[in-house]
Amino acid sequence: MRATHPLEQICSESALNKTNAKIYDLGLRQDESGRLRRIKNLEHENALLMRMVSETQIEIARLRDLLKST
């Protein structure tokens, strides 16, 4: 899988002074990816719960109608 966003570059003063190298923080990208994945999962779970609530309300209304007719 390819990254859709460029890696964030962290250039600490001490690292640049010692090695003059660019340092990339892969942990930040992984944390953000995990956070987005968790949000997507929670949104899906919320949609399923809302569907169950709606179906339960419909079932309650149907049962009330059955009780009234008896």
Side-chain angles (χ1 to χ4, degrees):
M1 184 186 314
R2 258 184 338 171
T4 57
H5 303 290
L7 296 175
E8 294 181 25
Q9 183 176 348
I10 304 287
C11 295
S12 66
E13 288 296 321
S14 61
L16 283 177
N17 290 337
K18 291 180 184 176
T19 64
N20 199 20
K22 293 181 182 178
I23 299 171
Y24 294 95
D25 189 349
L26 297 177
L28 288 177
R29 180 60 53 204
Q30 290 173 349
D31 288 347
E32 180 67 11
S33 175
R35 188 180 73 81
L36 293 174
R37 192 170 41 252
R38 178 74 175 132
I39 288 171
K40 183 179 176 182
N41 288 340
L42 288 171
E43 287 172 343
H44 179 71
E45 184 178 346
N46 188 50
L48 291 174
L49 290 171
M50 293 302 295
R51 180 178 170 189
M52 288 180 62
V53 167
S54 176
E55 289 176 359
T56 301
Q57 289 172 340
I58 292 169
E59 187 66 15
I60 288 170
R62 188 184 71 77
L63 291 172
R64 283 185 179 154
D65 287 344
L66 281 175
L67 286 173
K68 285 181 187 176
S69 67
T70 57

